[in-house]
């Protein structure tokens, strides 16, 4: 029986987690109606948490890590897919309750899969990954709120990270004046090349601020949380909105009601993991139209599968710029 490589998180009797390489066979895979030969995955912040072997993300053990994958269908009993289809999967419990993308094969529910949109190959699908698809969900939420570039600038926090880099490229292409908040002033040229028109030192947002600040932006994509999100909200123009999708600074939200009741500001929650399929399909369709693939290439580098543990440690330190594709096979 042929085996394939996988990166697994296990838990010992004392409750400690361990990350290690293993060989699996098809019979080790979890239940599902589609088997996929994985060609590419990626590294998101959440993957960093899982591979730190300290997070509460995996809820079943042993668990194959990796919240995203792209590849080719090998076998399917699902009516929507046949062998040879090129597909991608984001979230839906991968690396939490279902074996994920850091393996050469996966068996999943066909209802979780998306066929690669026209113009997006497996490499680009993982260059986008959950981070980029979350950036798109955030932009869609701001648009649904009725916001448009003529309302004022858009703030992007965690700008040089994965969500932030894609959000800047998308918002700039859609005509927004983008203010990029970053702790890495050395990345100013990079952020401008993606379309940012102003660079802000993240220290301006990361400390406790005033209940209501000067109105500076109409919209925002925040992947940082904590004081940064509180300040982003307090400096939002009347009837603007912030899409909150991350917690790189912290999970807390030390805010107050003043921006909501005195300025009608809205806080829009973004969840990529269990996002309904119709919205996923809309996000991927829009990514194919509104994300400049040259900009995506400029923010992306590729690594070997064997290097994924080292890179995952780097992302937790805020040390990865843009996006990383993992070449699985
Ligand atoms: P990255 O590490 O690529 O980006 C995070 C960025 O946040 C960093 O690059 C850095 O940007 C900034 N940052 C890091 N630490 C701090 C800090 N202590 N204070 C302020 N800023 C900080 O991660 P991703 O882009 O993959 O994910 C970003 C966040 O979004 C994560 O919290 C992740 O869990 C969340 N997320 C949520 C999803 C959802 O479904 N809601 C889906 C995807 C991601 P810079 O150097 O420019 O300051």
């Amino acid at each position: 029986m042929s085996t394939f490589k996988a990166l697994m998180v296990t838990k010992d009797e004392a409750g400690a987690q361990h990350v290690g390489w293993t060989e699996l066979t098809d019979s080790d895979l979890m239940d599902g109606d589609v088997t996929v030969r994985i060609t590419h995955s990626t590294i998101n912040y959440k993957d960093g948490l899982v591979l730190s072997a300290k997070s509460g993300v995996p809820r079943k053990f042993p668990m194959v890590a990796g919240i995203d994958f792209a590849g080719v269908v090998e076998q399917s009993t699902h009516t929507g897919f046949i062998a040879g289809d090129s597909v991608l999967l984001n979230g839906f419990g991968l690396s939490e309750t279902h074996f994920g993308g850091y393996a050469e094969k996966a068996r999943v529910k066909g209802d979780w899969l998306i066929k690669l949109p026209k113009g997006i190959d497996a490499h680009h699908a993982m260059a986008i990954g959950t981070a980029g698809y979350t950036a798109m969900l955030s932009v869609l939420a701001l648009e649904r709120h009725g916001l448009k570039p003529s309302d004022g600038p858009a703030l992007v926090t965690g700008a040089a990270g994965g969500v932030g880099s894609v959000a800047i490229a998308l918002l700039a292409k859609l005509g927004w004046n983008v203010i990029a908040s970053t702790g890495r002033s050395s990345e100013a040229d990079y952020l401008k090349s993606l379309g940012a028109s102003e660079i802000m030192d993240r220290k301006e947002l990361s400390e406790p601020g005033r209940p209501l600040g000067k109105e500076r932006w109409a919209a925002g994509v925040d992947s940082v949380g904590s004081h940064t999100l509180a300040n982003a909200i307090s400096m939002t123009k009347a009837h603007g909105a912030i899409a909150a999708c991350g917690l790189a600074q912290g999970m807390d939200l030390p805010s107050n009601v003043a921006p909501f009741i005195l300025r009608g500001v809205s806080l829009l929650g973004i969840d990529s993991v269990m996002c309904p399929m119709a919205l996923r399909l809309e996000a991927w369709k829009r990514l194919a139209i509104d994300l400049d693939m040259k900009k995506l290439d400029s923010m992306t580098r590729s690594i070997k599968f064997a290097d994924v543990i080292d890179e995952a440690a780097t992302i937790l330190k805020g040390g990865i710029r843009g996006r990383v594709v993992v070449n699985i096979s």
Side-chain angles (χ1 to χ4, degrees):
M1 196 183 297
S2 70
T3 64
F4 57 89
K5 203 163 145 190
L7 186 56
M8 291 197 103
V9 186
T10 53
K11 198 175 194 179
D12 64 25
E13 282 173 6
Q17 294 179 30
H18 305 273
V19 172
W21 295 100
T22 189
E23 292 285 327
L24 300 179
T25 65
D26 279 11
S27 61
D28 296 316
L29 290 173
M30 295 178 90
D31 286 347
D33 45 12
V34 183
T35 305
V36 179
R37 164 69 60 182
I38 298 176
T39 58
H40 300 77
S41 187
T42 179
I43 297 181
N44 302 279
Y45 191 86
K46 191 167 170 183
D47 296 311
L49 291 175
V50 172
L51 295 189
S52 72
K54 286 183 209 136
S55 78
V57 177
R59 280 177 278 132
K60 280 186 187 170
F61 296 91
M63 178 54 60
V64 175
I67 67 168
D68 285 325
F69 69 70
V72 179
V73 172
E74 263 191 6
Q75 283 182 342
S76 170
T77 55
H78 186 282
T79 51
F81 300 93
I82 56 168
D85 281 345
S86 294
V87 292
L88 69 90
L89 205 166
N90 308 116
F92 271 131
L94 291 194
S95 101
E96 297 179 39
T97 51
H98 200 96
F99 283 6
Y102 293 160
E104 290 170 312
K105 268 194 200 189
R107 192 182 298 125
V108 296
K109 283 190 184 173
D111 289 350
W112 298 342
L113 289 167
I114 291 178
K115 285 187 188 157
L116 290 189
K118 199 163 173 275
I120 297 185
D121 61 15
H123 166 86
H124 283 122
M126 289 299 102
I128 294 167
T130 284
Y133 141 70
T134 299
M136 188 75 243
L137 290 177
S138 302
V139 173
L140 285 172
L142 295 169
E143 288 179 351
R144 289 224 161 104
H145 194 70
L147 292 165
K148 47 193 184 315
S150 57
D151 294 324
L155 170 73
V156 174
T157 62
V163 174
S165 294
V166 178
I168 293 169
L170 286 169
L171 288 164
K173 183 154 182 224
L174 291 166
W176 288 86
N177 191 352
V178 180
I179 302 173
S181 162
T182 183
R184 291 182 261 183
S185 55
S186 55
E187 297 298 353
D189 287 346
Y190 162 74
L191 296 169
K192 284 186 179 159
S193 76
L194 297 180
S197 40
E198 194 183 316
I199 310 298
M200 175 190 257
D201 188 326
R202 80 181 187 202
K203 281 195 205 127
E204 284 190 50
L205 298 176
S206 59
E207 301 298 325
R210 302 215 310 259
L212 267 184
K214 189 175 166 217
E215 294 176 63
R216 293 197 55 185
W217 36 77
V221 176
D222 175 63
S223 60
V224 171
S226 192
H227 291 295
T228 300
L229 176 55
N231 285 317
I233 295 166
S234 81
M235 294 188 211
T236 300
K237 290 178 164 219
H239 304 288
I242 301 290
C245 63
L247 43 63
Q249 184 182 5
M251 207 191 251
D252 57 329
L253 177 52
S255 186
N256 72 98
V257 298
F260 306 115
I261 64 173
L262 299 179
R263 286 188 184 153
V265 168
S266 294
L267 182 59
L268 310 174
I270 306 299
D271 162 43
S272 67
V273 178
M274 298 313 288
C275 174
M277 185 50 82
L279 187 49
R280 286 172 188 259
L281 290 171
E282 187 185 348
W284 278 97
K285 191 171 155 200
R286 285 286 304 273
L287 282 160
I289 298 166
D290 291 324
L291 183 60
D292 179 335
M293 291 296 144
K294 285 203 185 92
K295 282 188 184 169
L296 181 63
D297 286 339
S298 76
M299 70 175 83
T300 306
R301 66 197 166 83
S302 293
I303 62 163
K304 290 187 268 183
F305 194 12
D307 296 333
V308 76
I309 297 177
D310 287 346
E311 291 283 340
T314 308
I315 201 167
L316 290 186
K317 295 181 210 139
I320 287 188
R321 183 179 94 171
R323 301 281 303 128
V324 174
V325 171
V326 182
N327 288 322
I328 301 284
S329 59

